[in-house]
Amino acid sequence: MHNRPHPLSAYGAIPSHNCAPVPAHARTPDAMDARGGNRPRILVEMQKRLDAYLDDPSRHLPTLNAANGSVRQQRLERRIACVQLLRAMIKYLDLASLRVGIPQRDGGFLNMTLPFLASHAGLPVRRTERAMRDLQRAGLVTAQQRVERTEDGGYRGLASLRQLPAALFGAFNLSKWLRHERSKAVMRRYRAAAQVAKAEREQLRSSRAEAQATLALSATVQRLHNRRRAGAAHTVDAPGVATDRAEAIARRVGILKALHPDWDRERCYEVASSEQR
């Protein structure tokens, strides 16, 4: 599926290049507005207005027209490649930062590989590389190379961080509209971040309450367990206490009978019992 971003590695699997070029009205998955589920209309409009460069390159993007270092006008085939690549990048443009890619919920950013952009531009990778160089020479794209350290101590290339300048929109009389849409995009980003933070706080409170309830329940269970143990110990000791008392009464009855021969057994037992209370 062409709409699924490829891995960040710049040397990952290359997607098929049989897809059609990006039309000016292309629908995209990122930064969808609440009204229709489409990209902000300014990006769709920008993709359309790029056609003007094909008709009059020296008027709309003169730096791109001169990117080949020649006084002659940029060839049509080269112009089409640059426009198609720009449309592919605009398709995945994050308005808040003007970076090419998809913002992630965790605050990260998914950059697009060059083969991925080539597939969405409907261009071979080599032609896409030449078009990207033209766009960078013209100041219409800035790119920052990225690498990561591998487990064997080497390095692996990652998708470059690419950004489009606001001046690109200004070249087609979209500066004011861009400022307005970027402000809205930033506010959407703030609201989304606030919602995530709120959900994390609620989850933390829920976890804390659950932990406190668990501790309270454990303490209650421990108290009940201790009471049961104390009751069991009392039950076990009671027969022993009764036996000792009976033996003491019996010994005292014998002593009283010896001291008072005239007392009968019942009186001796009564007196001995009263003494052992």
Side-chain angles (χ1 to χ4, degrees):
M1 294 179 63
H2 297 304
N3 286 333
R4 179 176 298 175
H6 283 242
L8 287 178
S9 172
Y11 304 106
I14 298 176
S16 171
H17 304 298
N18 296 326
C19 60
V22 180
H25 60 278
R27 298 179 62 181
T28 55
D30 185 36
M32 296 185 177
D33 66 19
R35 290 172 296 179
N38 297 328
R39 287 280 288 196
R41 288 188 300 110
I42 185 174
L43 299 184
V44 177
E45 181 64 24
M46 183 66 206
Q47 287 177 321
K48 292 178 180 178
R49 294 195 184 189
L50 285 173
D51 282 338
Y53 176 72
L54 300 178
D55 299 329
D56 193 351
S58 60
R59 175 185 177 186
H60 295 282
L61 296 174
T63 57
L64 181 58
N65 185 48
N68 57 2
S70 172
V71 295
R72 300 178 60 183
Q73 183 172 275
Q74 190 181 39
R75 290 186 297 110
L76 179 61
E77 180 183 355
R78 200 162 180 172
R79 274 180 272 162
I80 292 175
C82 290
V83 166
Q84 287 303 106
L85 183 54
L86 277 174
R87 282 177 174 163
M89 287 188 287
I90 290 171
K91 179 180 179 181
Y92 287 98
L93 187 66
D94 172 47
L95 271 177
S97 63
L98 293 184
R99 290 187 295 178
V100 180
I102 301 175
Q104 304 297 292
R105 290 182 177 275
D106 60 359
F109 196 85
L110 179 62
N111 300 295
M112 301 294 133
T113 65
L114 195 65
F116 178 79
L117 292 173
S119 70
H120 282 264
L123 301 170
V125 175
R126 294 298 299 274
R127 183 172 295 177
T128 302
E129 291 173 348
R130 290 193 296 269
M132 184 65 75
R133 285 195 294 268
D134 285 347
L135 292 172
Q136 289 182 237
R137 291 194 194 102
L140 300 178
V141 178
T142 58
Q144 179 180 344
Q145 297 293 327
R146 300 166 58 248
V147 296
E148 69 176 0
R149 196 72 177 265
T150 59
E151 294 181 356
D152 59 3
Y155 292 91
R156 183 167 66 102
L158 301 176
S160 296
L161 192 159
R162 297 182 176 88
Q163 190 172 22
L164 303 185
L168 174 63
F169 290 79
F172 295 90
N173 299 319
L174 295 175
S175 294
K176 184 176 180 180
W177 193 2
L178 177 65
R179 287 194 297 270
H180 177 67
E181 292 295 334
R182 290 191 72 186
S183 297
K184 290 168 56 178
V186 170
M187 291 305 300
R188 286 196 298 269
R189 189 70 51 80
Y190 283 153
R191 285 194 295 268
Q195 290 175 355
V196 171
K198 180 180 179 181
E200 290 177 349
R201 289 195 302 269
E202 291 177 350
Q203 183 178 5
L204 180 60
R205 283 197 296 267
S206 177
S207 300
R208 185 179 301 166
E210 182 179 356
Q212 291 173 347
T214 301
L215 291 175
L217 180 60
S218 299
T220 301
V221 170
Q222 185 63 37
R223 286 196 299 271
L224 292 174
H225 180 66
N226 292 339
R227 289 177 183 176
R228 283 197 297 266
R229 290 183 59 185
H234 178 74
T235 303
V236 171
D237 292 342
V241 172
T243 301
D244 294 343
R245 184 171 180 272
E247 291 178 355
I249 291 175
R251 288 195 297 269
R252 184 59 178 165
V253 166
I255 295 173
L256 290 174
K257 187 64 175 175
L259 294 175
H260 305 282
D262 57 327
W263 289 6
D264 58 14
R265 182 175 179 80
E266 292 182 2
R267 185 178 182 184
C268 292
Y269 185 82
E270 183 181 353
V271 173
S273 297
S274 62
E275 291 178 351
Q276 294 298 323
R277 289 176 182 173

